[in-house]
Amino acid sequence: MTPQPLFFRAGLVLLSLLPLAGAGSAAAQSPAPDSLQGLRVALDVGHSLQNQGAGSARGVGEFHFNQATARVVRDILTSAGAHVVMINENGDLPDLLRRTDLALEKQCDVFLSIHHDSCHQKYKQKWLVDGAPQEYADQFSGFGVFCSQKHPQAQLSRQYATILGHAMLAAGFHPALHHHEAIEGENRPFIDEAAGVYEYSDLIVVKRTAMPAALLECGVIVNRDEELRVKTREYQEQLAKAVAQAFAECLSQGVLQPGSGARLSPTPRGGPVAPVSPPEDKKGLLRRLFERPQKP
Ligand SMILES: [Zn+2]
């Protein structure tokens, strides 16, 4: 664990004033109409039509959950005065580096990638949905936030991700902590365990972005109940308000600054990059989603 900087403790006090509620029940405050004025947000819809990411307990591709939630997040952020650039809204931009480049071209001040979560294969059980075999794991639920220590502004990304995790808590959501388990494919270090914030340094969209970047897992869709919950308008709006509150908090603390995206230099390219080309099979998806750490 790393000690939290002083300025963040002040932010906690502010966030703790927000009403608490169970995830999905209306509680988070709507953002003030001008609270995000001037902020340019790159909102990335995770995965694509061709590679839809995780499968839900009922066999629906993650991309569809990401798209629906991101659109609600866009609307709430826009109502608070932000300028939102949707990236991969229709699922036709599988190239992750192209997404980060686009965020830079559009002079965005912050990058948020919207995803929905799964779990390790070993926990999944089988059931039939409309006669078709599907997999579920009901023991995992909640949100997660990921950022990269290899980001060019790693400290800002870390502060932004931590504020986002705490805003989710304040809105009544609970963190999913299973990515910390010491097994192959997980084993993610915590940045802030209580707020569900993890380090995932080689995740491309949070590493190769020029502006502060985080990835939000909005809920666990391999959980049969949570799959139904995350699809509700109430859940999506609650989450969107939490995101708006987090951005407002970042602005008040100087973690994010309107106009900063216009001053950024081209996306840093340090370190090795995994191939970004097809084939569009499972291995190809993994290659494109995760960069392998550089071997010494
Ligand atoms: Zn995903």
Side-chain angles (χ1 to χ4, degrees):
M1 295 294 292
T2 312
Q4 291 168 352
L6 272 177
F7 73 86
F8 182 64
R9 290 183 203 143
L12 278 180
V13 173
L14 200 157
L15 286 171
S16 67
L17 297 176
L18 299 171
L20 291 170
S25 62
Q29 292 176 336
S30 292
D34 59 351
S35 58
L36 304 181
Q37 198 65 44
L39 186 70
R40 293 180 67 87
V41 179
L43 195 59
D44 173 49
V45 179
H47 307 284
S48 65
L49 281 175
Q50 205 166 17
N51 289 302
Q52 298 193 3
S56 77
R58 291 169 179 78
V60 178
E62 179 195 336
F63 170 78
H64 299 287
F65 296 86
N66 300 340
Q67 183 187 53
T69 300
R71 285 173 170 164
V72 176
V73 173
R74 172 196 59 198
D75 293 346
I76 296 278
L77 295 179
T78 302
S79 73
H83 178 84
V84 179
V85 175
M86 292 295 277
I87 294 183
N88 187 45
E89 180 177 4
N90 298 314
D92 53 3
L93 191 59
D95 184 337
L96 298 177
L97 290 176
R98 183 74 199 112
R99 299 188 197 192
T100 61
D101 286 347
L102 194 56
L104 184 70
E105 288 167 22
K106 299 290 185 183
Q107 302 188 340
C108 293
D109 305 312
V110 62
F111 188 99
L112 178 63
S113 189
I114 297 291
H115 285 249
H116 287 74
D117 212 353
S118 184
C119 69
H120 196 283
Q121 185 62 32
K122 74 174 184 174
Y123 293 115
K124 292 178 182 171
Q125 301 177 63
K126 297 197 185 304
W127 67 325
L128 288 176
V129 179
D130 295 332
Q134 303 292 349
E135 293 181 326
Y136 72 94
D138 291 339
Q139 62 270 55
F140 304 107
S141 65
F143 74 90
V145 185
F146 296 82
C147 66
S148 172
Q149 295 293 82
K150 296 180 182 176
H151 186 278
Q153 301 182 81
Q155 179 64 13
L156 285 183
S157 282
R158 180 189 176 98
Q159 290 166 355
Y160 154 43
T162 306
I163 288 170
L164 178 56
H166 281 273
M168 289 290 288
L169 286 183
F173 295 94
H174 66 271
L177 304 177
H178 58 285
H179 297 300
H180 185 66
E181 185 180 354
I183 54 175
E184 189 182 358
E186 300 283 11
N187 213 8
R188 305 289 163 210
F190 281 125
I191 286 174
D192 187 328
E193 179 174 357
V197 183
Y198 296 88
E199 175 193 337
Y200 200 158
S201 287
D202 287 307
L203 206 50
I204 291 178
V205 291
V206 294
K207 173 185 177 183
R208 293 306 181 89
T209 32
M211 64 292 303
L215 184 151
L216 176 61
E217 298 279 6
C218 300
V220 179
I221 54 173
V222 77
N223 176 315
R224 291 177 293 185
D225 287 341
E226 190 142 292
E227 175 190 4
L228 299 178
R229 204 155 47 233
V230 301
K231 292 195 320 190
T232 63
R233 182 81 187 180
E234 189 182 21
Y235 189 100
Q236 293 164 350
E237 284 188 354
Q238 183 83 343
L239 180 139
K241 289 175 185 175
V243 171
Q245 294 289 355
F247 284 151
E249 184 65 17
C250 286
L251 289 174
S252 74
Q253 293 190 27
V255 173
L256 299 178
Q257 292 182 337
S260 60
R263 301 191 294 272
L264 291 168
S265 34
T267 311
R269 295 292 193 204
V273 184
V276 183
S277 52
E280 300 294 349
D281 56 7
K282 258 188 177 174
K283 280 184 178 170
L285 172 67
L286 287 173
R287 273 199 304 275
R288 290 187 299 103
L289 277 179
F290 309 112
E291 289 181 280
R292 292 170 193 277
Q294 189 168 24
K295 293 214 172 100

